[in-house]
């Protein structure tokens, strides 16, 4: 609100101080220097962010001999051996499937629970109720893991997909509620109201008007929750079994018994990151709007 | 009166509609639909709240209970109620607990400070449109979505003392190899660097969203009054951006305090053999799952939780003060 007020004040003074549009002047030299600086700075930023990933990718195509040879940093004969090794001998296809399945199901279920909840919380401004769900973001996961582990191992569920999906839903749900609440906040109420005037029940209006209009918001929430679930490490480290191991846990294990096989390790790390990066590249717009949801409301 | 009338009218209309559309459905369904519509607020919100509540409240209560017992070895094993003994043990532990608190706070503090300053700088660079914007956006997104454990492994290779790229690069300009991750003094700083690499983009995105939603007028007015770029940034843009900056600090701060993946992936159990990167989260995880000291770890967790809540509360207060 303050922001808005300041704006109007300033507009007022500008209008008074500037009776006619300022004549176009030649650009000062500083702006050219700034342009050069900006290009250099941006290239530096991009290099800083990309170079490590590129290095990982390069190493994944090297033999271990080449990795240890610093003369062959960039020039070497690429080999697909690491990938063959990781994917075939270490069964990474199984882990890829596990990660995908857990992330997919936990995202879908969290959407079913989270979207209506976010809608109610946004429409009826249930801020305290929303806080209950958002608490899940704040609590350190370790404090929940011991009791979970106890209960779920008594129920003989540890090592099954159900418990992994439940724990990942715990990550996804607060995220979805947070994103969808700010999405519903920005959706005009009038559309629903007029639908109700035309004879739809409130729930009917939600189902037939609001939900179809929220497809892009739901996509945003879904994609982000999928990514976070795919990347989650701690819950899967404790709760997954040998048959349900997800990719992050699988690469972590890889290190403990084969810490010297750098090529294989980098191939494994690449295998984890590539799918999620491809998804991210195609859904850029959604990811950005999800990560910045609610950030600019002040 | 009027309230009553409207609601009766609504029900009547609902019923009429229901009867019209689903002529063959018998009564109970209509009743349910009317009931559901009247209670949709809680009908919608409750399932998610119950789910999260059951998964949080019960375990937290248990953690609180465990922290008052001498439970260890197995949660099933008999344990005795020891009152506040665990808390006293933890609070007087200057070898593991207090250094872990220090590391948690310095990790979060340094990482956050660098991320916000760098993030603001990069956001300002990206603020006005330019050629190749798309590529920069892609570059910004990649670290954000990369799996933290894989990122940890990647940095392990890059910071390796013998074959790592960083030491190769330093070698070219004549600086001798540094131990980075394996050194006792350098490990924490190196992990902070990794956190900065992965999460500065997040701060950039949030701040950029804030910048784009700012109105141009205050900035232009200041330009008219002859303010230079620095003055305009420090006296106009930055104050207007403060609420967004605090949101970014809040969102990032919660996660930075709880950092686990990268630390555990690069240094393993106990934060390395000298506990050099052992933060509260890594310490509590180790106590629970590597050493099975449930009573002690629960006490650590309760204290950790209080630190997080305290920090959050301070920041939210600050945010309210700024936006008012």
């Amino acid at each position: 609100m303050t922001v808005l007020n300041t704006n109007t004040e300033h507009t007022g003074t500008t209008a008074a101080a500037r009776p006619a549009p300022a004549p176009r002047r030649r650009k000062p030299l500083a702006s050219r220097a700034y342009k050069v600086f900006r290009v250099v700075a941006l290239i530096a930023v991009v290099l800083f962010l990309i170079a490590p990933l590129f290095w990982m990718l390069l190493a994944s195509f090297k033999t271990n001999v080449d990795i240890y040879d610093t003369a062959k940093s960039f020039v070497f004969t690429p080999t697909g051996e690491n990938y063959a090794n990781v994917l075939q001998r270490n069964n990474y296809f199984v882990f890829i499937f596990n990660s995908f399945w857990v992330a997919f199901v936990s995202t879908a279920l969290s959407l079913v629970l989270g979207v209506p909840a976010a809608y109610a919380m946004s429409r009826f401004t249930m801020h305290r109720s929303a806080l209950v769900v958002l608490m899940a973001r704040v609590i350190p996961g370790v404090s929940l893991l011991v009791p979970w582990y106890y209960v779920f191992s008594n129920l003989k569920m540890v090592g099954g997909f159900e418990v992994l999906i439940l724990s990942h839903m715990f990550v996804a749900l607060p995220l979805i509620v947070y994103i969808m609440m700010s999405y519903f906040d920005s959706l005009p109420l009038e559309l629903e109201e007029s639908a109700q005037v035309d004879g739809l029940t409130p729930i009917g209006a939600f189902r037939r008007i609001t939900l179809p209009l929220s497809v892009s918001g739901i996509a945003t929430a879904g994609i982000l929750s999928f990514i976070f679930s795919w990347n989650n490490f701690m819950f899967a480290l404790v709760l997954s079994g040998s048959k349900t191991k997800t990719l992050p846990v699988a690469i972590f294990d890889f290190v403990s018994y084969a810490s010297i096989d750098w090529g294989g390790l980098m191939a494994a790390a690449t295998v984890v990151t590539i799918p999620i990066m491809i998804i991210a590249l195609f859904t850029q717009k959604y990811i950005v709007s999800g990560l910045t949801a609610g950030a600019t409301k002040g | 009166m009027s309230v009553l009338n409207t609601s009766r009218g609504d029900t009547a209309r609902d019923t009429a509609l229901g009867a019209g559309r689903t002529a063959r459905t018998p009564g109970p369904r209509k009743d349910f639909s009317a009931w559901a519509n009247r209670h949709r607020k809680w009908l919608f919100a409750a399932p998610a709240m119950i789910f999260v509540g059951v998964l949080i409240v019960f375990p937290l209560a248990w953690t609180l209970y465990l922290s008052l017992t001498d439970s260890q070895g197995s949660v099933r094993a008999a344990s005795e109620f020891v009152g506040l003994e665990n808390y006293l043990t933890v609070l007087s532990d200057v070898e593991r607990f207090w250094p872990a608190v220090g590391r948690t706070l310095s990790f979060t503090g340094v990482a956050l400070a660098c991320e916000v300053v760098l993030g603001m700088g990069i956001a300002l660079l990206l603020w006005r449109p330019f050629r190749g914007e798309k590529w920069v956006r892609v570059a910004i997104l990649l670290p954000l979505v990369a799996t933290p454990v894989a990122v940890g492994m990647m940095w392990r290779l890059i910071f390796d003392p013998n074959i790592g790229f960083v030491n190769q690069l330093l070698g070219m300009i004549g600086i001798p190899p540094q131990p980075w991750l394996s050194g006792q003094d350098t490990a924490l700083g190196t992990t902070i660097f990794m956190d900065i690499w992965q999460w500065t983009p997040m701060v950039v995105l949030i701040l950029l969203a804030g910048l784009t939603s700012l109105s141009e007028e205050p900035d232009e007015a200041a330009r008219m009054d002859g303010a230079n770029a620095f003055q305009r940034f420090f006296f106009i843009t930055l104050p207007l951006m403060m609420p967004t900056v605090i949101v970014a600090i809040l969102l990032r701060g919660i996660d930075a305090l709880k950092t686990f993946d990268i630390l555990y992936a690069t240094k393993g159990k106990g934060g390395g053999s000298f506990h050099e990167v052992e933060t509260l989260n890594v310490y509590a995880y180790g106590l629970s799952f590597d050493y099975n000291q449930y009573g002690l770890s629960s006490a650590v967790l309760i204290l950790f939780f209080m630190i997080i809540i305290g920090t959050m509360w301070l920041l939210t207060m600050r945010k309210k003060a700024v936006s008012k």
Side-chain angles (χ1 to χ4, degrees):
Chain A
M1 282 321 283
T2 354
V3 179
L4 267 177
N5 284 339
T6 346
N7 283 347
T8 36
E9 260 170 49
H10 273 284
T11 333
T13 44
T14 330
R18 193 177 50 179
R24 264 189 162 274
R25 261 175 289 161
R26 260 177 60 194
K27 279 185 183 169
L29 202 66
S31 90
R32 186 174 293 167
Y34 174 71
K35 263 184 191 157
V36 174
F37 164 76
R38 178 154 110 149
V39 170
V40 173
L42 283 172
I43 290 174
V45 168
V46 171
L47 272 182
F48 173 66
L49 296 177
I50 296 283
L53 292 165
F54 182 65
W55 191 251
M56 171 175 90
L57 194 67
L58 272 190
S60 73
F61 287 109
K62 287 181 194 171
T63 61
N64 278 313
V65 179
D66 284 350
I67 289 179
Y68 277 94
D69 188 350
T70 47
K72 292 189 176 168
S73 287
F74 292 101
V75 188
F76 61 95
T77 328
T79 165
E81 206 182 308
N82 294 321
Y83 286 94
N85 189 6
V86 160
L87 291 172
Q88 285 172 3
R89 243 180 291 162
N90 289 315
N91 260 337
Y92 266 58
F93 284 118
V94 176
F95 304 137
I96 294 173
F97 169 79
N98 289 349
S99 269
F100 182 83
W101 182 244
V102 170
F104 179 77
V105 177
S106 64
T107 298
L109 292 177
S110 303
L111 282 173
V112 171
L113 286 183
V115 172
Y119 173 78
M121 288 164 180
S122 159
R123 277 291 177 266
F124 302 104
T125 51
M126 305 160 75
H127 289 307
R128 269 195 216 110
S129 311
L131 213 60
V132 173
V133 178
L134 297 180
M135 272 298 275
R137 285 276 287 134
V138 179
I139 292 176
V142 193
S143 60
L144 309 171
L145 268 173
V146 173
W148 284 1
Y149 188 82
Y150 177 73
V151 171
F152 289 130
S153 63
N154 271 347
L155 294 171
K156 303 239 179 312
M157 281 168 74
V158 169
F161 277 116
E162 299 88 349
V163 61
L164 267 188
I165 288 167
L166 277 180
S167 71
H168 283 225
M169 277 177 73
F170 186 78
V171 179
L173 198 60
L175 193 76
I176 287 172
V177 168
Y178 182 71
I179 293 172
M180 289 314 290
M181 267 181 77
S182 67
Y183 190 86
F184 287 132
D185 280 348
S186 68
L187 216 60
L189 193 63
E190 286 79 13
L191 291 163
E192 267 172 58
E193 283 173 349
S194 66
Q196 285 183 45
V197 170
D198 288 346
L200 279 178
T201 61
I203 292 182
F206 168 70
R207 203 160 51 92
R208 289 163 184 249
I209 309 291
T210 315
L211 270 189
L213 284 175
S214 316
V215 170
S216 81
I218 294 172
T220 300
I223 292 161
L224 267 189
S225 118
F226 187 91
I227 293 175
F228 274 62
S229 170
W230 179 276
N231 287 347
N232 188 291
F233 174 56
M234 193 205 272
F235 289 164
L237 187 60
V238 174
L239 296 172
S240 69
S242 52
K243 280 185 189 148
T244 56
K245 200 176 278 178
T246 58
L247 273 170
V249 183
I251 22 168
F252 183 72
D253 283 355
F254 195 95
V255 140
S256 41
Y257 60 80
S259 58
I260 316 136
D261 181 10
W262 283 114
L265 183 60
M266 289 304 113
T270 310
V271 167
V272 187
T273 36
I274 288 286
I276 210 73
M277 280 185 179
I278 292 174
I279 293 176
L281 289 184
F282 283 106
T283 56
Q284 269 194 67
K285 179 176 87 176
Y286 298 106
I287 294 181
V288 173
S289 69
L291 288 173
T292 55
T296 53
K297 277 191 294 186
Chain B
M1 274 314 281
S2 62
V3 179
L4 260 180
N5 278 338
T6 350
S7 73
R8 205 187 295 154
D10 265 352
T11 329
R13 197 185 59 200
D14 286 353
T15 329
L17 255 177
R21 227 185 302 131
T22 53
R24 270 172 300 171
T25 334
R29 191 172 160 181
K30 275 183 299 185
D31 289 348
F32 175 74
S33 154
W35 177 86
N37 273 304
R38 250 180 295 128
H39 297 282
R40 66 189 188 285
K41 177 174 164 181
W42 290 106
L43 198 69
F44 279 9
M49 288 174 67
I50 292 171
F51 177 84
V52 176
V54 168
L55 283 183
I56 286 184
V57 175
F58 157 72
L60 265 194
W62 195 345
T63 304
L64 197 63
Y65 162 74
L66 277 180
S67 75
L68 301 173
T69 71
D70 63 354
S71 164
Q72 58 171 319
S74 154
V75 234
R76 279 193 201 82
S79 56
E80 263 177 57
F81 191 77
V82 293
L84 292 176
E85 203 183 289
N86 285 324
Y87 289 91
L88 291 178
T89 316
V90 167
L91 288 173
S92 59
D93 173 11
V94 288
E95 270 176 33
R96 297 285 289 275
F97 179 74
W98 286 110
V101 173
R103 281 186 216 107
T104 306
L105 295 181
S106 53
F107 183 95
T108 307
V110 176
L112 260 181
C114 296
E115 281 160 21
V116 169
V117 172
L118 270 176
M120 182 57 102
I122 299 174
L124 286 172
L125 284 176
L126 295 174
W127 190 7
R128 310 289 182 207
F130 60 94
R131 261 176 56 192
E133 227 176 321
K134 233 167 123 188
W135 293 101
V136 182
R137 288 253 170 79
V138 170
I140 281 181
L141 219 56
L142 290 182
L144 266 179
V145 298
T147 310
V149 178
V151 168
M153 300 303 169
M154 169 186 98
W155 287 118
R156 262 173 95 145
L157 173 64
I158 294 175
F159 278 119
D160 188 277
N162 302 314
I163 56 173
F165 184 63
V166 175
N167 277 344
Q168 277 184 48
L169 214 60
L170 290 180
M172 282 179 211
I173 51 173
I175 297 174
Q178 304 293 321
W180 302 119
L181 268 172
S182 47
Q184 262 188 72
D185 309 321
T186 45
L188 190 66
T190 312
T191 51
I192 291 176
F193 176 86
M194 297 172 192
D195 194 78
I196 293 172
W197 178 82
Q198 183 149 39
W199 295 111
T200 301
M202 168 104 172
V203 180
V204 172
L205 290 182
I206 292 176
L207 294 182
L208 194 58
L211 281 174
T212 359
S213 70
L214 282 188
S215 112
E216 304 254 330
E217 276 116 18
D219 193 62
E220 261 166 35
R223 193 193 293 260
M224 283 298 151
D225 293 342
N228 64 34
F230 285 98
Q231 290 168 326
R232 291 205 310 275
F233 173 71
F234 282 107
F235 297 112
I236 310 287
T237 313
L238 194 57
L240 288 176
M241 282 290 288
M242 265 335 263
T244 316
V245 170
I246 291 178
V247 169
I249 293 178
L250 262 170
L251 289 178
R252 193 69 267 290
I254 301 170
D255 288 339
L257 281 169
K258 297 193 300 175
T259 302
F260 177 80
D261 300 15
I262 279 195
L263 301 177
Y264 207 74
T266 51
K267 297 294 292 180
K269 290 178 184 177
S273 35
F274 299 96
H275 311 302
E276 54 267 33
V277 300
E278 189 175 65
T279 59
L280 278 174
N281 217 12
V282 176
Y283 182 43
Y285 182 90
L287 278 179
S288 301
F289 293 103
D290 297 336
Y291 304 103
N292 302 329
Q293 300 273 358
Y294 299 112
L296 221 53
S297 80
S298 300
V300 171
L301 281 166
I302 297 292
L303 292 170
F304 182 26
F305 188 45
M306 281 159 64
I307 293 179
I308 295 183
I309 294 289
T311 322
M312 304 275 314
W313 182 76
L314 277 177
L315 280 170
T316 344
M317 289 297 111
R318 177 95 189 98
K319 187 184 163 221
K320 273 187 191 144
V322 166
S323 33
K324 259 171 200 163

